[in-house]
Amino acid sequence: MQCKDEIIFYEEIFDYIWEDLNKVNQKGAVVTEGAAYFPHIMKKLHVPEEQYAAITPTKDFQISHYKEREWVPYILEGCSDKEKAFQNWMGRDSLFADTVCKECMELNYLSIVNDGGNSIDEMVQIVSVHFGLKV
C-alpha cells in the first residue's frame, strides 16, 4: 500500500517536474535523477528507448547506504520503533525499485540494478554507452 501511495504521489507531481525540466532543457539533453521519472510516464511522453535509463538499487545496497546517511535518524526521530520503521521504509523503496525494473522490461527501457558490484566509473561507462556519450 505504501508503494502504491508513493507511485500515485509521484504521478501527481510529475507535471510540475516536467514543466520545470522543460524550462531548463534548452539544448536538448538533460541527465536527471528522480523517482518521478517512471517508465510508463516516459513512454506516454514518447521518450525514445535510447533517451531513458533507470538505475535502481538492490534492497541490500540501499539499506547499507541509507544506514550511513547522517540524516536518516532525523527522519525516524518520532517513531516508537525506529528499526521497524526503517525496515518498512526500505521495504517500500524495494517494491518501488522492483516496479520500475518491471516497467522497464515491459516497455523496452534500459534498467540497471545497482548492487554495488560496479564502480562509479563502470556505472558512468554503462550509462554513457547507452546515451551515446563520450567519457
Side-chain angles (χ1 to χ4, degrees):
M1 180 180 216
Q2 286 181 346
C3 180
K4 287 181 183 178
D5 287 346
E6 190 81 356
I7 292 168
I8 290 168
F9 167 75
Y10 284 121
E11 288 175 336
E12 288 175 354
I13 67 168
F14 183 79
D15 288 341
Y16 301 107
I17 294 167
W18 193 249
E19 182 180 316
D20 286 346
L21 183 60
N22 283 322
K23 289 177 187 174
V24 176
N25 187 9
Q26 301 299 317
K27 301 288 181 188
V30 173
V31 175
T32 186
E33 176 279 331
Y37 298 102
F38 272 99
H40 71 269
I41 294 174
M42 297 296 98
K43 194 57 90 170
K44 283 182 188 175
L45 294 170
H46 307 289
V47 174
E49 295 161 8
E50 65 276 4
Q51 292 181 5
Y52 177 85
I55 303 173
T56 55
T58 61
K59 187 175 184 179
D60 289 342
F61 182 79
Q62 179 157 341
I63 289 171
S64 69
H65 283 272
Y66 267 56
K67 283 189 174 190
E68 296 174 6
R69 294 182 174 172
E70 62 186 43
W71 50 266
V72 169
Y74 299 109
I75 302 294
L76 301 173
E77 201 168 52
C79 300
S80 59
D81 185 343
K82 291 174 180 44
E83 185 56 33
K84 179 74 171 161
F86 182 76
Q87 292 304 321
N88 287 343
W89 177 12
M90 294 300 102
R92 180 207 63 193
D93 282 7
S94 178
L95 289 172
F96 190 91
D98 291 346
T99 300
V100 170
C101 291
K102 182 181 175 197
E103 283 189 11
C104 282
M105 284 184 54
E106 291 169 357
L107 300 172
N108 205 32
Y109 282 129
L110 176 63
S111 172
I112 302 165
V113 178
N114 186 3
D115 64 1
N118 290 328
S119 69
I120 292 173
D121 288 342
E122 289 169 326
M123 294 296 283
V124 167
Q125 183 65 32
I126 292 166
V127 173
S128 296
V129 167
H130 175 71
F131 289 127
L133 304 171
K134 293 181 182 180
V135 181

